[in-house]
Amino acid sequence: MAAKLKSVYICSSCGYESAKWNGRCPSCGEWNTFEEEVVEAAPRKAGAKKAPSALNGEDCSDKVRTLSQIDTEDEIRYSTGAGELDRVLGGGLVKGSLVLLGGEPGIGKSTLLLQICSYFGREHTILYVSGEESVRQVKLRADRLGVVTTNLYLLSITDAESVCSTITATRPDIVIIDSIQTMNIRDISSSSGSITQVRECTNMFMHLAKDLEIPIFLVGHVNKDGAIAGPKVMEHIVDTVLFFEGDRHQSYRLLRAVKNRYGSTNEIGVFEMLDNGLSQVENPSEMFLSGRPCGVSGSCVGCVMEGTRPILAEIQALVTKSGYSAPRRTSTGFDFSRLAIILAVLEKRAGLFYGSLDVYVNIVGGFRLDEPAADLPTALALYSSLMDMPINEKLVSFGEIGLGGEIRSISNISQRIAEAQRLGFEKCIIPKMSLRQIDPRRYKIGIIAVSNIRQAFDYLKKERGIS
């Protein structure tokens, strides 16, 4: 007798299942996220018994342990050999963890994982499961990247159950699955890459990683919106979600932790894509500031904190006469809503006029500034471009701008000043309220404390000899 098929609708945002299509998900509230999945209906046997009671489950009281009985003295992290990746992971790869690595096509996901196999292969065995390439193709890529190790084992297969059986039989130290969208479970009738397949395969690998204490890397594709493809519940299942950012046409890549159960989500890793693979950038500030123009208006250096690391980046602004009835506002690497607020404050509190002018803001190097400390250097760059007045290339600034035009204090002020001084900057504009956190006599760099944006603009004019 032919198996009966039925349709279920699954929300791609949260994984909520429904028997009918809904315009809006009743669970997460997102619109137009339901996708149809055709599954095989389980036949109902005659005289089937009711589901067993919870009281009939297995007694696991012998497995219950107190917190003090759990031994954590043994090393529970692996070093990946890439300091930038270790930083983002929170100090290394935790045993038994499930790590999801996502990013745009060609951004360097498979390249990074194959490169770290050289370091892992010195003391550990690695199983690299490829559902997209044959083992010969993986070998060609390994030769190009200079990966040489005898402990790297390759397997080209897409059956998730066979992968789990192989892992259980061989017991490798680390497993890499490239990619989760190519894996499938035979008992599920939907195709590979569907929401049901991705969710159930991820769940299967999660249980395997926990039971055998084997860390597993999963490579994830992204959809047209830039989010990791598959239901959001997949990101809840895994322990760590890493995301590669950057323009594939540029050489620099940023690795960011969107979720991390074993470390901070504020840390970032910086890599550069070269002919022979990804190279670590241990000093991102110098990278972002390289090639700065001198004597050009509309450029100012700011400092943001990414976890425990201060990073200096160049903010460029261009204010020019508009050729349209409605002036354009464009920002790259800077929050557009925040830019609109800064422009409104500059017009209201500083008496500047941007209403009929096009405004473009760009963060050099493909970096993204999403911290309020970038407000002040952005305002200075906008003022510099409007007045066509270059800012001293040895000046750095950071501070949050309030709606009243005041410069509010920020955190980690000492780390930011120390980083600016190390890179050879001579002047630093900071919020006046932040002086309570530091002793200016400890620094060789000149510190200028301002309480509002007018004082910051007055200092720029004073430096240029403008009264």
Side-chain angles (χ1 to χ4, degrees), residues 288-289 292-293 296-304 311-318 332-334 339 342 360-365 367-369 371-382 384-385 391 396-399:
F288 290 127
L289 297 179
R292 286 184 61 210
V296 178
S297 62
S299 174
C300 185
V301 176
C303 182
V304 295
I311 296 181
L312 272 66
E314 180 187 359
I315 302 172
Q316 291 184 331
L318 179 62
T332 304
F334 190 81
L339 173 60
I342 294 174
Y360 305 91
V361 172
N362 175 53
I363 309 301
V364 177
F367 193 51
R368 179 169 183 82
L369 303 183
E371 191 188 8
D375 289 354
L376 181 56
T378 303
L380 295 180
L382 289 169
S384 170
S385 181
I391 296 176
V396 63
S397 64
F398 29 85

Side-chain angles (χ1 to χ4, degrees), residues 12 43 64 147 151 194 226 284 290 293 310 312-313 320 440 461 463-464:
S12 60
V64 177
V147 178
N151 287 330
S194 64
S290 61
L312 272 66
T320 181
K461 291 191 291 186
E463 265 209 329
R464 304 297 300 183

